[in-house]
PDB file of all heavy atoms in Angstrom:
ATOM      1  N   ALA A 164     136.281-110.074 162.358  1.00  0.00           N
ATOM      2  CA  ALA A 164     137.066-109.930 161.121  1.00  0.00           C
ATOM      3  C   ALA A 164     136.387-110.643 159.960  1.00  0.00           C
ATOM      4  O   ALA A 164     135.813-111.726 160.115  1.00  0.00           O
ATOM      5  CB  ALA A 164     138.470-110.481 161.335  1.00  0.00           C
ATOM      6  N   THR A 165     136.448-110.004 158.780  1.00  0.00           N
ATOM      7  CA  THR A 165     135.963-110.636 157.559  1.00  0.00           C
ATOM      8  C   THR A 165     137.113-110.823 156.561  1.00  0.00           C
ATOM      9  O   THR A 165     136.882-111.069 155.382  1.00  0.00           O
ATOM     10  CB  THR A 165     134.847-109.804 156.905  1.00  0.00           C
ATOM     11  OG1 THR A 165     135.315-108.457 156.723  1.00  0.00           O
ATOM     12  CG2 THR A 165     133.597-109.786 157.763  1.00  0.00           C
ATOM     13  N   ALA A 166     138.343-110.681 157.069  1.00  0.00           N
ATOM     14  CA  ALA A 166     139.524-110.890 156.234  1.00  0.00           C
ATOM     15  C   ALA A 166     140.719-111.190 157.129  1.00  0.00           C
ATOM     16  O   ALA A 166     140.737-110.792 158.300  1.00  0.00           O
ATOM     17  CB  ALA A 166     139.817-109.650 155.397  1.00  0.00           C
ATOM     18  N   VAL A 167     141.686-111.904 156.576  1.00  0.00           N
ATOM     19  CA  VAL A 167     142.959-112.140 157.271  1.00  0.00           C
ATOM     20  C   VAL A 167     144.076-111.862 156.270  1.00  0.00           C
ATOM     21  O   VAL A 167     144.087-112.421 155.166  1.00  0.00           O
ATOM     22  CB  VAL A 167     143.068-113.590 157.803  1.00  0.00           C
ATOM     23  CG1 VAL A 167     144.472-113.870 158.339  1.00  0.00           C
ATOM     24  CG2 VAL A 167     142.033-113.849 158.893  1.00  0.00           C
ATOM     25  N   LEU A 168     145.001-110.978 156.660  1.00  0.00           N
ATOM     26  CA  LEU A 168     146.186-110.703 155.845  1.00  0.00           C
ATOM     27  C   LEU A 168     147.289-111.698 156.167  1.00  0.00           C
ATOM     28  O   LEU A 168     147.400-112.157 157.307  1.00  0.00           O
ATOM     29  CB  LEU A 168     146.694-109.289 156.133  1.00  0.00           C
ATOM     30  CG  LEU A 168     145.896-108.126 155.527  1.00  0.00           C
ATOM     31  CD1 LEU A 168     146.110-106.853 156.341  1.00  0.00           C
ATOM     32  CD2 LEU A 168     146.291-107.920 154.065  1.00  0.00           C
ATOM     33  N   VAL A 169     148.099-112.007 155.167  1.00  0.00           N
ATOM     34  CA  VAL A 169     149.253-112.894 155.371  1.00  0.00           C
ATOM     35  C   VAL A 169     150.509-112.097 155.024  1.00  0.00           C
ATOM     36  O   VAL A 169     150.625-111.563 153.909  1.00  0.00           O
ATOM     37  CB  VAL A 169     149.171-114.146 154.478  1.00  0.00           C
ATOM     38  CG1 VAL A 169     150.305-115.110 154.824  1.00  0.00           C
ATOM     39  CG2 VAL A 169     147.821-114.834 154.638  1.00  0.00           C
ATOM     40  N   ARG A 170     151.428-111.981 155.990  1.00  0.00           N
ATOM     41  CA  ARG A 170     152.613-111.126 155.842  1.00  0.00           C
ATOM     42  C   ARG A 170     153.409-111.504 154.588  1.00  0.00           C
ATOM     43  O   ARG A 170     153.702-112.675 154.364  1.00  0.00           O
ATOM     44  CB  ARG A 170     153.503-111.254 157.080  1.00  0.00           C
ATOM     45  CG  ARG A 170     154.654-110.263 157.105  1.00  0.00           C
ATOM     46  CD  ARG A 170     154.431-109.139 158.083  1.00  0.00           C
ATOM     47  NE  ARG A 170     154.195-109.585 159.445  1.00  0.00           N
ATOM     48  CZ  ARG A 170     153.677-108.777 160.385  1.00  0.00           C
ATOM     49  NH1 ARG A 170     153.346-107.542 160.094  1.00  0.00           N
ATOM     50  NH2 ARG A 170     153.471-109.237 161.609  1.00  0.00           N
ATOM     51  N   ARG A 171     153.778-110.501 153.828  1.00  0.00           N
ATOM     52  CA  ARG A 171     154.586-110.655 152.599  1.00  0.00           C
ATOM     53  C   ARG A 171     153.934-111.602 151.590  1.00  0.00           C
ATOM     54  O   ARG A 171     154.628-112.260 150.821  1.00  0.00           O
ATOM     55  CB  ARG A 171     155.996-111.159 152.949  1.00  0.00           C
ATOM     56  CG  ARG A 171     156.825-110.178 153.735  1.00  0.00           C
ATOM     57  CD  ARG A 171     158.144-110.738 154.198  1.00  0.00           C
ATOM     58  NE  ARG A 171     158.951-109.700 154.826  1.00  0.00           N
ATOM     59  CZ  ARG A 171     159.867-108.949 154.189  1.00  0.00           C
ATOM     60  NH1 ARG A 171     160.099-109.155 152.909  1.00  0.00           N
ATOM     61  NH2 ARG A 171     160.536-108.020 154.834  1.00  0.00           N
ATOM     62  N   HIS A 172     152.595-111.679 151.606  1.00  0.00           N
ATOM     63  CA  HIS A 172     151.917-112.678 150.791  1.00  0.00           C
ATOM     64  C   HIS A 172     150.625-112.115 150.163  1.00  0.00           C
ATOM     65  O   HIS A 172     150.561-111.949 148.951  1.00  0.00           O
ATOM     66  CB  HIS A 172     151.639-113.897 151.685  1.00  0.00           C
ATOM     67  CG  HIS A 172     150.963-115.043 151.023  1.00  0.00           C
ATOM     68  ND1 HIS A 172     151.064-116.347 151.473  1.00  0.00           N
ATOM     69  CD2 HIS A 172     150.137-115.097 149.962  1.00  0.00           C
ATOM     70  CE1 HIS A 172     150.365-117.140 150.699  1.00  0.00           C
ATOM     71  NE2 HIS A 172     149.793-116.411 149.766  1.00  0.00           N
ATOM     72  N   GLY A 173     149.620-111.816 150.963  1.00  0.00           N
ATOM     73  CA  GLY A 173     148.346-111.371 150.387  1.00  0.00           C
ATOM     74  C   GLY A 173     147.249-111.369 151.428  1.00  0.00           C
ATOM     75  O   GLY A 173     147.497-111.126 152.604  1.00  0.00           O
ATOM     76  N   VAL A 174     146.012-111.673 151.001  1.00  0.00           N
ATOM     77  CA  VAL A 174     144.874-111.577 151.918  1.00  0.00           C
ATOM     78  C   VAL A 174     143.813-112.619 151.563  1.00  0.00           C
ATOM     79  O   VAL A 174     143.668-112.995 150.390  1.00  0.00           O
ATOM     80  CB  VAL A 174     144.263-110.144 151.863  1.00  0.00           C
ATOM     81  CG1 VAL A 174     143.638-109.829 150.507  1.00  0.00           C
ATOM     82  CG2 VAL A 174     143.255-109.913 152.980  1.00  0.00           C
ATOM     83  N   TYR A 175     143.111-113.091 152.576  1.00  0.00           N
ATOM     84  CA  TYR A 175     141.903-113.903 152.413  1.00  0.00           C
ATOM     85  C   TYR A 175     140.719-113.046 152.856  1.00  0.00           C
ATOM     86  O   TYR A 175     140.766-112.452 153.931  1.00  0.00           O
ATOM     87  CB  TYR A 175     141.968-115.179 153.274  1.00  0.00           C
ATOM     88  CG  TYR A 175     142.868-116.245 152.688  1.00  0.00           C
ATOM     89  CD1 TYR A 175     144.242-116.206 152.887  1.00  0.00           C
ATOM     90  CD2 TYR A 175     142.344-117.274 151.918  1.00  0.00           C
ATOM     91  CE1 TYR A 175     145.076-117.166 152.324  1.00  0.00           C
ATOM     92  CE2 TYR A 175     143.162-118.235 151.355  1.00  0.00           C
ATOM     93  CZ  TYR A 175     144.523-118.181 151.563  1.00  0.00           C
ATOM     94  OH  TYR A 175     145.337-119.129 150.997  1.00  0.00           O
TER      95      TYR A 175
END
Side-chain angles (χ1 to χ4, degrees):
T165 53
V167 172
L168 285 155
V169 186
R170 188 105 57 196
R171 294 174 174 267
H172 181 156
V174 66
Y175 283 83

